Each structure stands twice: as structure tokens, then as C-alpha cells.
Amino acid sequence: MKRTVGVLLFERFELLDVFGPLEMLGLLEDAFEIRLVSEQAEVVDSAQGPRSVVDDYLVDHHPYDLLLVPGGMGTRREVENQALLDWLNHAAGRAETVASVCTGSALLARAGLLDGRRATTNKNAYNWVVRQGPKVEWQPRARWVEDGKFWSSSGVSAGTDMALALIARLCGIDRARQVAHWAEYVWNEDSTDDPFART
Amino acid sequence: MKRTVGVLLFERFELLDVFGPLEMLGLLEDAFEIRLVSEQAEVVDSAQGPRSVVDDYLVDHHPYDLLLVPGGMGTRREVENQALLDWLNHAAGRAETVASVCTGSALLARAGLLDGRRATTNKNAYNWVVRQGPKVEWQPRARWVEDGKFWSSSGVSAGTDMALALIARLCGIDRARQVAHWAEYVWNEDSTDDPFART
């Protein structure tokens, strides 16, 4: 079964939040098809400048097996974007797995999707993210956290470690390690090993 | 001084070869301006699918302080693209620093830029790359190699380690470590520490 990965893009998304995970998922062409999704813009600027072309729009309501929500400075504005939060709720309800990177968990939190669940985020933006979800059980020490179908990673690079763990879950540990080897990536396989923990 | 980074894109470039380094460089907005460059296409497909919008074209002959050449399956075709190799020679001649990631060093080698120099590449594609530059002193064990103004990294993820070393050289070690911390990236600071070495 080939899974469709929907990646939410918004102005000032963080480059590596998106393209670290997509490098790893994209190396398994037979397992994942990648679709970039935005609210309206055909071309979306990253926080670092480089621009991406999207494939789908929120109004299309395409179903995605894996929904990936990045962080970046743009999340500061998008937490107030009710149309986007409504879409997240709808898309998450249909997805097999929902994964956030960095401050992307602030968007899931504001959509109410993480209430009563364990989740984590970038430790550099920890206090701001925590305020977006007072009912979330925020974890100050975790490279990534899995709670039911919701996965969330720490800052930026942690998303790549989480993506490999997702591949391990969906495709087996051998394929995840093979992908890391192809990309000459030293995978931190232990979700509790957080070199940037708050405490 | 703000440096201009020119990143060569071609069909089927490797996502993380480009966006790992650009995450790190892009976090220093005051130090680097990023420009994506292609031969003719306004939109370039990565090897993993996601598409990027370019800023400049080869015929513009914009000067770049730092020239970044990624790898990816597309290099198998581009090593035969004489117009692109000629442009690389011209652009490299004007650049302060030229850096390749993964099989990007095959393009530099075919352009003759690495003759008599030490360089490295992806260990998974090592034999093919070595054949592109019989006069290059290829290094089978190196996370990245610096020889004069030419830097080359091993596969995919190694480019991110090299980019931080470039930041350390151009902006100081403290800023490089700060950037790695912001991105929650465990930086391999030792260019000789190559977990994927051939020997």
C-alpha cells in the first residue's frame, strides 16, 4: 500500500522541518507519495527564503494517510487562522497518522487535537508553544513523542529522527535503517534521548 | 558583509543536500542571502518530488560568494551537460567558496575544478563519482573535505555538518554552534569522523 503524505505549508515555514522528513520519506518512492498543501498560495516562502510550489489546497480536502505539520516563524500567525485550524481538525480525523515538527505542535494544540495527549516541541520556543495548549501534557524532555496516532517532535532536526521512526513503524526497522544509511544520516533512534531538553 | 549564496538546482536534485545547508545558512539572515539558480526551468523537481522556485538562471551570470552544488540522481545526466559545466567553471572562478554535497562533487570534478585537489562524496555512489574525476584525490574516509576554496561533503546529511563548518569559518565557531542549537541539530564538528566511510 502506497501512503499519501500531506505536508501543510504556510508563509515562513521552517525549511528543515519539511525537507528533513521528506528526504527520508521520499527515498521510499514505492511507499510514500508526497503532496504539499497550502491554504491559497501556489508558491509558499519558507522562513529561510527558498520557495516551494504546492500541489493541493485546503479547500480540495484531499485525504492524506500521513499529515505532516511543520513549524517555523509562520506558526505565530497561523495559530490565529481559524480556517487552517478547522482544516487541520478535518484532515487529522481522516489521517492514519498526524505528525508535527518543532512549533507545528502549536497548530495541532490550537486545533484542540492534542488535548489530554502527550506532545513535545522545540525547546527554544517551549514557553510560547505550551501557552497554545493548556490541556496538553507537554513533555520537556523528548526527541519525539508518540500518543495514539499523534506524533510530535522537538525542534527542526528532531523531525528527521521522528520521520525515520515513522518509517520504522509503517515499513519496518530495516527499511528505516536502510534509508538513514542511504542519506548518510546518524539516526537518533531513541525518542527519550533529547540533547536539547529543557530540564 | 552579507554574502550571497548561489545554489545550483537541476531536475532530480536531492532535497536534503540543498535544504539541510540552507536551513543552517538561512538562520543567519544578516550574514547570508540565498538564491536558487537553474539552467532554464523556473520550477525544478527534486528527486523526492517536491518542487522549488528558482531566483536566477545560468545565463544571468550573477556573482555568488558561496556556490553550493547539491547531488541527487539528476547528477547522472548533468555530468554530460557542457553548458552547466562551463557555468560552474565561470561561477567557481568568481566565488569565495565552492561547496558540493553528495554527488555534487561529480559535477565539480567533470568541470575540472577538483583536479589535483582532495575531495569526497557519497560513499554509496563512490565508484561512479570517482570515475568522473580521475585526477582528483578522492578521500574514502571524510565527513567533508576542505582544499583551498573548494569544500566537498559526503552523502546528503553530511552537507549539513559541512555547512556549519563553513559558518564557523566565515562567521566564527560561536555562531555556528548557536545555529546548530537553534535547529536542535547534533553537529558532527569533526570532518574526519565519517560513520559511513568506505574503508
Side-chain angles (χ1 to χ4, degrees):
Chain A
M1 174 191 147
K2 193 161 179 169
R3 290 176 167 91
T4 304
V5 181
V7 187
L8 179 65
L9 294 193
F10 42 80
E11 293 295 302
R12 305 200 71 192
F13 72 88
E14 191 79 11
L15 271 182
L16 196 57
D17 288 16
V18 169
F19 295 115
L22 292 191
E23 167 73 28
M24 302 303 167
L25 295 164
L27 282 172
L28 296 173
E29 284 178 84
D30 60 327
F32 300 104
E33 182 196 345
I34 296 167
R35 309 284 298 177
L36 306 184
V37 195
S38 82
E39 189 170 11
Q40 290 185 306
E42 185 186 353
V43 170
V44 182
D45 294 4
S46 68
Q48 284 73 31
R51 295 172 289 165
S52 289
V53 183
V54 308
D55 305 294
D56 300 332
Y57 301 97
L58 302 195
V59 293
D60 298 333
H61 285 297
H62 281 300
Y64 304 110
D65 300 298
L66 169 55
L67 181 61
L68 182 70
V69 182
M73 284 310 294
T75 56
R76 308 290 167 131
R77 189 186 58 246
E78 301 303 339
V79 289
E80 308 293 344
N81 181 346
Q82 194 58 48
L84 183 141
L85 300 178
D86 289 346
W87 177 85
L88 272 178
N89 248 300
H90 185 67
R94 297 197 289 175
E96 175 189 21
T97 308
V98 180
S100 65
V101 180
C102 195
T103 52
S105 54
L107 296 173
L108 297 182
R110 283 291 287 264
L113 289 162
L114 300 179
D115 285 355
R117 293 187 184 274
R118 287 174 298 107
T120 197
T121 189
N122 191 326
K123 302 316 184 300
N124 295 294
Y126 195 79
N127 292 338
W128 176 77
V129 175
V130 162
R131 287 199 301 275
Q132 310 310 311
K135 296 178 185 166
V136 182
E137 295 174 28
W138 294 106
Q139 307 294 307
R141 176 182 294 275
R143 191 66 173 162
W144 73 89
V145 169
E146 180 187 355
D147 188 335
K149 76 179 185 182
F150 291 90
W151 297 53
S152 56
S153 86
S154 283
V156 192
S157 309
T160 308
D161 291 326
M162 177 185 70
L164 287 163
L166 276 164
I167 290 170
R169 175 64 52 83
L170 299 172
C171 309
I173 185 74
D174 290 346
R175 293 208 84 187
R177 287 179 180 153
Q178 179 67 65
V179 164
H181 184 82
W182 284 334
E184 295 197 359
Y185 183 74
V186 180
W187 178 24
N188 175 354
E189 293 191 23
D190 178 1
S191 69
T192 69
D193 175 8
D194 180 5
F196 305 94
R198 286 270 296 185
T199 51
Chain B
M1 174 191 148
K2 194 160 179 171
R3 290 177 168 89
T4 304
V5 182
V7 187
L8 179 66
L9 294 192
F10 41 81
E11 293 296 303
R12 305 199 73 194
F13 72 89
E14 191 79 13
L15 270 182
L16 196 57
D17 288 16
V18 168
F19 294 116
L22 293 190
E23 168 72 26
M24 301 305 167
L25 294 165
L27 282 172
L28 296 173
E29 283 178 86
D30 59 329
F32 300 104
E33 183 195 345
I34 295 167
R35 311 282 299 176
L36 306 184
V37 195
S38 82
E39 188 169 11
Q40 290 185 308
E42 185 185 352
V43 170
V44 182
D45 294 7
S46 67
Q48 284 73 33
R51 295 173 288 164
S52 289
V53 183
V54 307
D55 305 293
D56 301 331
Y57 300 97
L58 302 196
V59 294
D60 298 333
H61 285 297
H62 282 302
Y64 304 109
D65 300 299
L66 170 54
L67 181 62
L68 183 71
V69 181
M73 284 309 294
T75 57
R76 308 288 168 133
R77 189 186 58 247
E78 301 302 339
V79 289
E80 308 293 344
N81 181 346
Q82 194 58 49
L84 184 140
L85 300 178
D86 289 345
W87 179 86
L88 272 178
N89 248 299
H90 185 67
R94 297 196 291 176
E96 176 189 20
T97 308
V98 180
S100 65
V101 179
C102 194
T103 53
S105 54
L107 296 173
L108 297 182
R110 282 294 285 266
L113 289 162
L114 299 179
D115 284 354
R117 294 186 183 275
R118 287 174 298 108
T120 197
T121 190
N122 191 326
K123 302 316 184 299
N124 295 295
Y126 195 78
N127 292 339
W128 176 77
V129 175
V130 162
R131 287 199 300 276
Q132 310 309 310
K135 297 178 185 167
V136 182
E137 296 174 27
W138 294 106
Q139 306 294 308
R141 176 182 294 275
R143 190 67 172 160
W144 72 89
V145 169
E146 180 187 354
D147 188 334
K149 75 179 186 183
F150 292 90
W151 297 53
S152 57
S153 86
S154 283
V156 193
S157 309
T160 309
D161 291 326
M162 178 185 69
L164 287 163
L166 276 165
I167 290 170
R169 174 64 53 82
L170 299 173
C171 310
I173 184 73
D174 289 346
R175 292 208 84 187
R177 287 179 180 152
Q178 178 68 62
V179 163
H181 185 82
W182 284 336
E184 296 196 0
Y185 183 74
V186 180
W187 177 23
N188 175 354
E189 294 191 23
D190 179 0
S191 67
T192 69
D193 176 8
D194 180 5
F196 304 95
R198 285 271 294 185
T199 51

